């Protein structure tokens, strides 16, 4: 008990004598630890974001894309003008035509509405319950453009041209999606749609119909009937079972206009369609080491068009946090982090050198009176641990906030504790080396 009290007294005496220096070291190591974890995450993919939802298909991983509320205002403002709508459409076109980072847009859980009277007309009194969504099978009153109407939801899906080609969708009759039919001359021209095989005999090739999608009415024409058994991945679940398209209306992403209309409302719905598509994208990456480059490409394209960069739902925490920063800024942050860590270690070494140097006589007396060396070293190690502990606590507070809970917090905190452990071992090694300099014989001679 006496030994423990001695070490406790020695710990508090040493800590209180250099309280200001120790508090400064606490702050320095706290900032250093957080920045070091972020930099490690950026360069070593530490703490993947939504990693559970990054399926491996063949030789590639599929990283989901999404838009964020932070860019909602920029997109909304842009779609108030003709030029802004065109910019949104060009933004989509640029992102989906990248050769090295192909972007596939697909949504197999999209509600599409028809007028109730059109449903009854096409089905002619036949039961159409199998064509309705499971969670929304009753007709409702809603806006149809500027009017209200009784509308009926049906099973719908959306795919971009590249996704249509990649998944090998084929039609048994008519024509599938092509670059030619996805480019319409005028905003009022009908959009090509495909229908599942169960629609055969209900909707014929060439049938024109209006569809309500995301609150906007689109004129459409059936151009093809899908082969029976056509399947597509479930929404955001590429690694799960596929879902049947036999009773589904497939609407395309990425409609192009050859000429701009005079009214903003007529082009806005096509710009909106492209905008929504980016929230249902998947980026195919063959090499995980390319993810940082891909995020940088999205950042540069966003800066070019004046929009926030497209989010990937798979990159590590550091990549996501620094996704808006240029390469030069990230390199500067890395250099500053290394400098701060180095300065923190230097400050720790200098502080304990001064402690040991100023207490050499006391330590010598302790040793001459039979005090084991570990009873002198342990209080110093406890002081180093106390200096590093706030860094771990700050790391936990920063990396476990509500906005960051989507990351692998366990991996992040293991890295934080590991870095703190390295700092502790380095401090312990330096302390042991300095303690070797206590010369008891010199102190004895000096005492005599």
């Amino acid at each position: 008990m006496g030994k423990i009290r001695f070490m406790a007294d020695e710990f508090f005496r040493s800590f209180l004598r250099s309280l200001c220096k120790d508090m400064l070291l606490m702050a320095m190591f706290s900032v250093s630890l957080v920045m070091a974890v972020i930099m490690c995450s950026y360069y070593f993919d530490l703490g993947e974001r939504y990693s559970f939802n990054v399926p491996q298909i063949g030789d590639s991983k599929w990283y989901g894309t999404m838009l964020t509320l932070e860019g909602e205002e920029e997109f909304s403002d842009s779609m108030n003008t003709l030029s802004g709508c065109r910019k949104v459409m060009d933004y989509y076109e640029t992102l989906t035509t990248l050769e090295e980072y192909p972007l596939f847009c697909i949504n197999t859980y999209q509600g599409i509405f028809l007028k109730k009277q059109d449903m009854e007309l096409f089905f002619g009194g036949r039961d159409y319950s199998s064509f309705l969504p499971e969670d929304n099978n009753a007709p409702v009153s809603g806006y149809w453009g500027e009017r209200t109407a009784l509308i009926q939801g049906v099973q719908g899906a959306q795919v971009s041209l590249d996704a249509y080609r990649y998944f090998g969708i084929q039609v048994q009759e008519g024509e599938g999606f092509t670059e030619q039919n996805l480019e319409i001359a005028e905003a009022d021209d009908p959009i090509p749609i495909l229908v599942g095989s169960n629609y055969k005999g209900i909707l014929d090739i060439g049938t024109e119909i209006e569809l309500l999608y995301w609150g906007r009415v689109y004129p459409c024409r059936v151009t093809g009937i899908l082969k029976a058994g056509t399947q597509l991945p479930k929404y955001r679940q590429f690694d799960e079972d596929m879902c049947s398209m036999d009773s589904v209306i497939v609407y395309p992403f990425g409609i192009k206009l050859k000429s701009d209309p005079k009214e903003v409302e007529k082009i806005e719905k096509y710009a909106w369609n492209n905008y929504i598509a980016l929230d249902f994208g998947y980026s195919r990456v063959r090499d995980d080491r390319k993810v940082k480059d891909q995020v940088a490409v999205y950042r540069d394209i966003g800066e070019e068009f004046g929009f926030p960069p497209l989010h990937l739902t798979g990159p590590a925490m550091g990549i996501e946090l620094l996704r808006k920063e240029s390469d030069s800024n990230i390199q500067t942050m890395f250099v500053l982090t290394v400098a701060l860590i180095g300065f923190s270690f230097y400050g720790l070494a200098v502080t304990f050198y001064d402690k040991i140097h100023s207490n050499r006589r006391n330590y010598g007396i302790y040793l001459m009176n039979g005090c084991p060396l570990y009873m002198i070293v342990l209080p110093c190690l406890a002081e180093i641990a106390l200096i590093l502990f706030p860094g771990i606590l700050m790391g936990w507070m920063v990396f476990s906030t509500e906005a960051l809970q989507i990351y692998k917090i366990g991996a992040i905190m293991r890295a934080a504790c590991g870095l703190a452990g390295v700092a502790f071992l380095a401090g312990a090694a330096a302390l042991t080396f300095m303690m070797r300099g206590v010369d008891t014989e010199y102190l004895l001679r000096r005492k005599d």
Side-chain angles (χ1 to χ4, degrees):
M1 189 67 182
K3 292 182 179 180
I4 296 177
R5 176 173 293 181
F6 170 81
M7 289 188 290
D9 291 340
E10 186 65 21
F11 166 76
F12 284 110
R13 182 186 67 81
S14 176
F15 181 77
L16 293 176
R17 284 189 62 183
S18 57
L19 181 62
C20 292
K21 290 182 179 180
D22 287 347
M23 295 295 288
L24 180 60
L25 285 173
M26 287 180 182
M28 291 171 60
F29 272 106
S30 295
V31 177
S32 298
L33 189 66
V34 171
M35 291 303 301
V37 171
I38 292 176
M39 288 292 105
C40 287
S41 179
Y42 180 82
Y43 287 106
F44 302 109
D45 293 341
L46 173 67
E48 291 180 323
R49 187 173 185 270
Y50 291 122
S51 58
F52 59 88
N53 203 20
V54 182
Q56 177 87 33
I57 302 178
D59 63 345
S60 305
K61 282 189 176 181
W62 291 65
Y63 288 84
T65 66
M66 64 179 183
L67 300 168
T68 58
L69 293 178
E70 64 184 271
E72 186 175 2
E73 185 176 350
E74 287 89 337
F75 283 104
S76 297
D77 291 344
S78 293
M79 285 186 277
N80 289 328
T81 63
L82 289 170
S83 60
C85 288
R86 176 56 67 181
K87 185 171 73 169
V88 172
M89 297 175 73
D90 291 341
Y91 182 57
Y92 168 87
E93 180 72 14
T94 301
L95 288 170
T96 54
T97 54
L98 295 172
E99 293 185 6
E100 190 171 1
Y101 308 108
L103 182 65
F104 302 88
C105 301
I106 179 171
N107 178 17
T108 52
Y109 193 71
Q110 178 56 51
I112 292 178
F113 293 87
L114 287 78
K115 288 181 181 178
K116 175 67 173 177
Q117 62 189 42
D118 289 341
M119 286 288 292
E120 295 175 348
L121 174 64
F122 292 127
F123 282 87
R126 286 174 286 183
D127 178 43
Y128 51 76
S129 58
S130 61
F131 296 85
L132 308 181
E134 294 181 1
D135 57 349
N136 184 20
N137 53 19
V140 296
S141 179
Y143 279 100
W144 192 271
E146 297 180 354
R147 306 182 306 275
T148 58
L150 193 61
I151 58 178
Q152 176 68 65
V154 296
Q155 296 181 47
Q158 287 187 277
V159 294
S160 64
L161 181 59
D162 285 340
Y164 172 84
R165 290 170 172 169
Y166 180 83
F167 290 103
I169 301 175
Q170 296 182 353
V171 295
Q172 57 176 295
E173 291 184 18
E175 181 184 47
F177 293 147
T178 65
E179 292 181 357
Q180 290 72 32
N181 64 24
L182 291 185
E183 184 175 20
I184 58 179
E186 303 290 341
D188 293 328
D189 290 349
I191 296 170
I193 60 172
L194 307 177
V195 297
S197 59
N198 291 341
Y199 275 99
K200 188 173 182 179
I202 299 171
L203 295 177
D204 299 323
I205 303 298
T207 299
E208 294 193 0
I209 184 174
E210 287 187 333
L211 298 180
L212 179 69
Y213 158 72
W214 285 99
R216 292 152 176 82
V217 178
Y218 297 86
C220 301
R221 177 188 292 122
V222 178
T223 61
I225 299 177
L226 299 175
K227 285 187 175 181
T230 298
Q231 293 183 325
L232 285 174
K234 290 183 178 180
Y235 170 66
R236 296 298 193 198
Q237 299 179 45
F238 273 42
D239 54 346
E240 301 290 337
D241 294 335
M242 307 281 272
C243 55
S244 173
M245 295 289 107
D246 288 345
S247 299
V248 176
I249 294 177
V250 181
Y251 182 91
F253 282 128
I255 299 296
K256 300 179 183 179
L257 295 178
K258 291 183 179 180
S259 60
D260 293 342
K262 295 181 180 180
E263 299 84 0
V264 176
E265 295 77 11
K266 290 187 176 182
I267 190 176
E268 185 269 347
K269 59 186 179 182
Y270 296 102
W272 176 262
N273 183 41
N274 289 5
Y275 166 73
I276 290 297
L278 299 178
D279 210 28
F280 297 100
Y282 272 92
S283 187
R284 182 176 166 218
V285 181
R286 292 187 175 89
D287 187 346
D288 284 342
R289 292 172 296 181
K290 292 285 188 179
V291 174
K292 289 194 294 292
D293 298 334
Q294 184 178 18
V295 172
V297 168
Y298 287 161
R299 178 199 64 219
D300 294 340
I301 294 175
E303 290 180 355
E304 177 185 349
F305 284 89
F307 295 134
L310 189 65
H311 269 275
L312 284 186
T313 58
M317 177 197 66
I319 296 176
E320 176 63 17
L321 291 180
L322 302 178
R323 69 186 183 89
K324 292 184 178 180
E325 302 296 332
S326 64
D327 292 338
S328 59
N329 286 345
I330 295 173
Q331 291 171 3
T332 300
M333 293 175 65
F334 175 77
V335 171
L336 291 176
T337 300
V338 172
L340 181 59
I341 293 173
F343 190 73
S344 298
F345 275 111
Y346 173 77
L348 184 68
V350 169
T351 298
F352 276 86
Y353 175 82
D354 290 341
K355 286 177 183 289
I356 293 173
H357 186 76
S358 61
N359 287 290
R360 287 170 67 90
R361 182 174 178 82
N362 290 339
Y363 294 153
I365 294 174
Y366 294 157
L367 294 172
M368 286 188 303
N369 285 277
C371 176
L373 182 62
Y374 75 85
M375 292 181 63
I376 300 174
V377 174
L378 284 180
C380 294
L381 292 178
E383 189 173 353
I384 294 176
L386 182 61
I387 290 172
L388 296 174
F389 178 74
I392 298 176
L393 184 62
M394 182 176 176
W396 179 263
M397 294 174 61
V398 170
F399 298 126
S400 64
T401 58
E402 183 177 355
L404 298 178
Q405 285 178 353
I406 51 181
Y407 300 104
K408 290 182 178 177
I409 185 63
I412 295 171
M413 289 313 301
R414 284 195 296 271
C417 293
L419 291 171
V422 170
F424 179 79
L425 292 176
L431 180 65
T432 302
F433 177 80
M434 289 184 286
M435 288 299 294
R436 293 173 58 193
V438 177
D439 189 347
T440 55
E441 294 184 3
Y442 169 75
L443 294 175
L444 281 171
R445 290 194 302 270
R446 185 174 179 181
K447 181 179 180 181
D448 296 335

